Amino acid sequence: MPLPFHPAATARFLLALLTLPGICAAACNAVYPLTLDSRYDYDWEVLRTALEKTAAPYAPCTLRASKVSMEESRANGELAAAGGRINVFSRSTTLALERQFLPVRIPVDKGLLGYRLLLVRAADLPRFAEVRTLQDLRALRAGQGSNWADVAILRAAGIPVVEGNSYDGLFSMLMARRFDYFSRALDEALREIDEHRASHPQMALEPGLLLYYPLPRYFFVRRDAEGRQLAQRIAAGLEIMIRDGTLDQLFQRYKGKSIDQADLPHRRLIKIDNPGLPPETPLSRSELWYNPLKSGVPALR
């Protein structure tokens, strides 16, 4: 449910933004890392909307992708370098990432990233049908990208993890039996099954399990004056989107079908902790987080 929207209160909020240190009508150019798939389409639409919502107190902003595609390691290097080719990216948070870059601590996807479905080999579906507990899951090997936040979370729960150096390569590694399952966010898994059906016809979506751990994805910017102003603007735009319901509308447009298709009421829930979750994570702000039980989804099994 969007929060009550009061035009007068929003006008006062925008006026208050103009008095914050560093606010000025300077030209804005936001550049994010180009990827050759649709993983981040929703994120950049959220960012575009947040920048548009703040055009009045700031200035019009140009948002574009980098001219070259980037895996996460390269994007990290570009954002860390003064004058790098990007000045913003979207990433699941870790303590190390928040120390290196400046996070905008509003979960871009309302925390949906922490609800995980499993991509597996179709021939192994009977093995996964027997998994009921975390202890059962520990007998199987997860696949994840090198240095992804999920790696430390899964290992801390006693789950063996095999790391891959490229996103696309992880699907081939799964099918080559390098690991037993590829844990993906709910909406990622459903999209990826469709996108990789031709190249990996024996890959399947495991139908009975739902793995959950708290894992917010934030926008991150460089820790410099330009980055601080951009972070301030993104945060202001996201707060407006929360108040007027725009964030919920985009979330439903991009994620709603996948949530319905995931059939959450008929999945066995396995919850694990995220011991690396930064203490500043805004867990107390319930309006920032997707909650299946408050979204019309019956209780998970």
Side-chain angles (χ1 to χ4, degrees):
M1 287 287 291
L3 297 179
F5 177 58
H6 302 291
T10 300
R12 290 194 296 271
F13 174 66
L14 292 173
L15 183 61
L17 287 176
L18 292 169
T19 67
L20 292 173
I23 297 292
C24 63
C28 167
N29 294 287
V31 185
Y32 59 85
L34 172 67
T35 54
L36 301 179
D37 53 71
S38 61
R39 274 179 291 168
Y40 294 97
D41 287 358
Y42 164 80
D43 301 57
W44 308 137
E45 184 62 24
V46 169
L47 180 57
R48 186 184 313 279
T49 306
L51 295 174
E52 289 174 352
K53 293 280 186 182
T54 51
Y58 289 83
C61 192
T62 300
L63 177 65
R64 64 175 179 84
S66 59
K67 294 181 179 179
V68 296
S69 63
M70 299 182 187
E71 290 281 353
E72 287 192 0
S73 58
R74 179 167 183 183
N76 274 18
E78 293 288 351
L79 191 60
R85 299 186 186 191
I86 62 171
N87 58 5
V88 61
F89 62 46
S90 174
R91 192 75 56 79
S92 51
T93 196
T94 64
L95 282 167
L97 206 60
E98 292 197 18
R99 291 189 190 105
Q100 185 176 14
F101 303 113
L102 185 61
V104 178
R105 291 193 183 94
I106 297 175
V108 178
D109 67 348
K110 298 172 69 69
L112 190 66
L113 188 66
Y115 292 88
R116 317 292 291 189
L117 304 184
L118 311 183
L119 301 180
V120 304
R121 296 177 291 275
D124 287 343
L125 285 171
R127 296 176 66 193
F128 285 88
E130 300 300 317
V131 174
R132 293 290 187 276
T133 66
L134 175 57
Q135 187 61 35
D136 295 336
L137 196 61
R138 287 171 177 153
L140 300 163
R141 297 167 300 164
Q144 288 290 283
S146 181
N147 298 317
W148 287 4
D150 313 78
V151 173
I153 295 169
L154 295 171
R155 285 178 175 160
I159 296 173
V161 181
V162 176
E163 297 182 57
N165 291 323
S166 79
Y167 166 73
D168 288 327
L170 285 159
F171 299 95
S172 298
M173 290 174 67
L174 170 64
M175 302 315 298
R177 308 188 70 83
R178 295 281 301 280
F179 48 80
D180 300 307
Y181 63 93
F182 188 12
S183 166
R184 302 298 289 147
L186 180 156
D187 57 315
E188 293 174 333
L190 288 156
R191 174 179 49 76
E192 289 163 348
I193 278 288
D194 288 338
E195 291 179 351
H196 292 268
R197 195 178 305 279
S199 56
H200 301 297
Q202 295 305 311
M203 187 170 70
L205 180 68
E206 199 288 322
L209 294 171
L210 176 66
L211 181 64
Y212 173 73
Y213 42 85
L215 186 62
R217 180 160 65 213
Y218 298 146
F219 292 119
F220 287 87
V221 298
R222 196 172 288 119
R223 283 190 175 274
D224 59 14
E226 177 192 20
R228 286 189 292 274
Q229 182 163 316
L230 182 56
Q232 202 171 59
R233 175 169 182 167
I234 294 170
L238 290 174
E239 293 287 1
I240 294 170
M241 292 173 68
I242 292 164
R243 289 190 62 84
D244 69 12
T246 311
L247 186 60
D248 279 342
Q249 290 166 14
L250 286 177
F251 181 83
Q252 185 62 33
R253 185 195 310 168
Y254 278 83
K255 314 292 187 181
K257 183 178 178 181
S258 294
I259 291 171
D260 292 341
Q261 291 176 337
D263 194 21
L264 298 183
H266 296 100
R267 290 183 175 272
R268 301 182 299 281
L269 178 64
I270 298 176
K271 297 174 70 173
I272 63 177
D273 293 329
N274 179 354
L277 196 66
E280 297 86 357
T281 305
L283 295 173
S284 63
R285 294 188 61 186
S286 61
E287 75 274 18
L288 302 184
W289 304 89
Y290 169 69
N291 183 336
L293 300 182
K294 292 185 178 180
S295 304
V297 176
L300 296 167
R301 292 196 291 169

